[in-house]
Amino acid sequence: MTQPSATADTPRAAAVRWGIVAGAVATVFYAVLALGRWNAGDSADYDLGIFAQGAEAWSRGHWPQSDIRGLSLLGDHFSPILATWGVLWRFWPTPPTLLITQSVLLGAALGVVVGYARRRTGVRVALLIAVVGIFSRAVLTAAMFDVHEVAYAAIALAVLCIALLQHRFGWAVAASVWLVLTKEDLGLTVFAAGFCWWWMYRGEGWRRPLILAGIGVAGVIVAMLVIGAFSPGSGSGYLAYFGIGSSNKLPVPEDHSLSPQRLLPVLMYVVLALIVGVRSKLTVLAIPTLVWRGVSSNIHYWALDFHYDVVLWPIGMLAFVDVIERYGVPRLRSWQSGCVGVAMVAGFALAVSEMGDRSVAPGSFFHTAPVVENIRALAAAHLPHDARVATQADVGAYLVPAYDAFSLRPDQHPSVDYVMFTSKPKWTYQVPVCAREKLVREGAQVWRRGTVTLVKLPYRQRVTPTC
């Protein structure tokens, strides 16, 4: 009698093993970077403090509200999927919960991509994707700068791309729904997925492409309606960067010129796809993100210093895998292999530059910096539990959830009892020295520990850190 083959499922089992190992290594790596920044005192109100307050509200069964952001988070971005952070917050109510969750999501996304690459293209390509993927600047910018809702999009996009490549409509629908619940602009990506399905499987007709496109359109419409209902201005303030509506009053530099920097996201996608992957039909999924970022007046959307590229990350990697699966691994001395080599060098150079800019020291994972200890010590000694305190951007996240933290910025005017700030020489949204000195002069009481200052105001009042 013929025995069942012991190796029948070897390719699938090998792919699973590779995915698990790659995902686990990436998760640990990203968690060490994120928690290292947290322990070093480099985490910020924007966005960790904001999302921590949102998670706390979700955990109590309330709509997500952030005093740091100054509005309901559903009036800022449409991200109901972040209610899952509220569930986790119930068990571990501290901002590192969100940092670790994001690391798991990003690691899982890489694991899915590497597992697929192992099964479809073999060991060499899977190893290449694992190394290039884990050190890509596109994901490091997200892993090293607090938390962002698009971490949820990374794994959903990986699943969507694989569903398109493997003709799995059910998985494509599930991933599409996940995406439209993650952020309002991702409905455009889902719409593109409908076009991509039609392009790949034209002989099947229009029903499935229209379903995917319909999910995308419905997602955008619902998102805009919800944002309008929860926003103070009855609409998304981010549309002002596209010449629609009024500003959301964020202090973001704008530029309406045809600057060449608008093409930086396109170059990032080309690097992520290792150049040759641009030929894949999956590139269609990247187009909506590249277009809205490129036409915006918000210069942060063009830059490679923020989390926006993480949406392109799984698309680019799987586009490369798709091209290799279709056309084979390039010969060593071919122009295609040269392109891959150039992209790899560029990718690693961008990653090293990002890690240098962020000054991330993985060793910080093992000890807490004095500035963090001083923030906590001053708060424990002098802040009542119900205190309303306006904080500089590098302080607020460390006071959530024990205290009611607000943002000490010129664009916000919170009514508070205390203010807390640091005198770090370099920080985003640093309160001017003259404004800090003014707050100290006008304070009823002042306490200092190291670089941290806590000021008790004479009475509850609105504060604006201007000179």
Side-chain angles (χ1 to χ4, degrees):
M1 184 174 70
T2 304
Q3 297 294 324
S5 173
T7 61
D9 291 330
T10 296
R12 176 176 294 182
V16 171
R17 286 196 300 271
W18 273 70
I20 291 174
V21 172
V25 171
T27 296
V28 172
F29 178 58
Y30 299 145
V32 167
L33 293 178
L35 295 176
R37 278 182 54 86
W38 168 262
N39 288 339
D42 291 333
S43 291
D45 285 358
Y46 279 67
D47 289 315
L48 181 57
I50 291 173
F51 285 125
Q53 289 182 329
E56 182 184 19
W58 278 119
S59 73
R60 292 184 280 111
H62 299 159
W63 295 122
Q65 177 73 31
S66 171
D67 291 328
I68 292 172
R69 184 65 178 90
L71 45 73
S72 168
L73 296 187
L74 286 176
D76 192 34
H77 291 299
F78 181 72
S79 305
I81 201 166
L82 297 187
T84 55
W85 273 346
V87 175
L88 297 171
W89 193 269
R90 295 279 295 184
F91 298 97
W92 191 16
T94 178
T97 300
L98 310 189
L99 296 173
I100 293 172
T101 304
Q102 175 173 265
S103 300
V104 171
L105 289 168
L106 295 175
L110 182 66
V112 169
V113 174
V114 171
Y116 180 80
R118 171 63 181 87
R119 186 175 183 188
R120 308 300 297 189
T121 58
V123 171
R124 287 185 298 169
V125 175
L127 184 60
L128 173 66
I129 288 294
V131 175
V132 170
I134 196 172
F135 292 109
S136 170
R137 181 174 181 139
V139 67
L140 289 177
T141 51
M144 293 193 299
F145 189 57
D146 297 335
V147 297
H148 314 279
E149 62 279 281
V150 290
Y152 281 87
I155 188 169
L157 280 164
V159 172
L160 178 59
C161 288
I162 292 172
L164 288 167
L165 294 175
Q166 294 199 312
H167 197 211
R168 295 181 177 235
F169 185 69
W171 282 104
V173 169
S176 296
V177 172
W178 180 300
L179 285 170
V180 298
L181 295 177
T182 300
K183 199 161 177 276
E184 61 274 8
D185 63 276
L186 291 171
L188 302 176
T189 302
V190 174
F191 181 86
F195 176 80
C196 193
W197 188 283
W198 171 82
W199 192 9
M200 288 179 164
Y201 310 109
R202 280 182 296 235
E204 293 183 351
W206 288 93
R207 187 178 68 86
R208 288 182 172 182
L210 287 176
I211 289 174
L212 292 177
I215 292 173
V217 171
V220 172
I221 293 173
V222 170
M224 291 299 103
L225 290 174
V226 171
I227 290 173
F230 283 89
S231 172
S234 300
S236 174
Y238 296 93
L239 293 177
Y241 298 131
F242 306 93
I244 304 171
S246 57
S247 171
N248 61 8
K249 299 182 180 179
L250 282 176
V252 175
E254 294 190 59
D255 186 345
H256 297 271
S257 69
L258 296 178
S259 170
Q261 291 182 327
R262 293 176 182 270
L263 295 177
L264 286 176
V266 177
L267 296 177
M268 173 57 81
Y269 177 74
V270 172
V271 170
L272 288 169
L274 297 178
I275 301 178
V276 297
V278 174
R279 301 167 61 189
S280 171
K281 293 174 182 176
L282 292 180
T283 296
V284 169
L285 300 185
I287 292 175
T289 297
L290 296 175
V291 170
W292 72 254
R293 288 177 64 185
V295 302
S296 167
S297 63
N298 183 340
I299 65 173
H300 289 173
Y301 291 163
W302 317 341
L304 306 182
D305 302 325
F306 299 94
H307 56 280
Y308 305 108
D309 290 315
V310 78
V311 174
L312 305 174
W313 178 58
I315 302 173
M317 290 189 294
L318 284 166
F320 173 74
V321 173
D322 177 39
V323 169
I324 296 301
E325 182 181 1
R326 290 175 180 274
Y327 303 105
V329 177
R331 295 190 304 275
L332 185 60
R333 298 182 182 276
S334 66
W335 67 268
Q336 294 100 326
S337 64
C339 288
V340 172
V342 169
M344 289 178 61
V345 171
F348 283 120
L350 288 169
V352 170
S353 172
E354 176 65 10
M355 295 190 74
D357 290 343
R358 296 291 181 197
S359 300
V360 173
S364 298
F365 176 79
F366 300 101
H367 65 273
T368 302
V371 65
V372 177
E373 294 177 343
N374 292 336
I375 290 171
R376 292 169 175 164
L378 283 175
H382 304 292
L383 285 180
H385 184 70
D386 59 349
R388 294 167 61 92
V389 52
T391 66
Q392 190 172 265
D394 55 342
V395 174
Y398 296 93
L399 299 183
V400 178
Y403 306 97
D404 197 358
F406 295 78
S407 183
L408 187 63
R409 286 170 47 165
D411 59 306
Q412 306 223 0
H413 313 283
S415 179
V416 296
D417 308 301
Y418 297 82
V419 295
M420 184 182 284
F421 49 81
T422 72
S423 56
K424 288 182 180 179
K426 178 183 177 182
W427 187 258
T428 304
Y429 303 132
Q430 183 85 335
V431 175
V433 173
C434 56
R436 298 200 300 262
E437 293 174 346
K438 180 181 177 183
L439 288 168
V440 169
R441 288 196 306 269
E442 296 176 352
Q445 290 182 277
V446 178
W447 303 275
R448 289 190 173 93
R449 282 182 64 104
T451 60
V452 185
T453 300
L454 173 63
V455 179
K456 181 180 181 180
L457 302 175
Y459 54 88
R460 179 169 294 181
Q461 62 189 78
R462 294 189 178 278
V463 293
T464 303
T466 55
C467 300

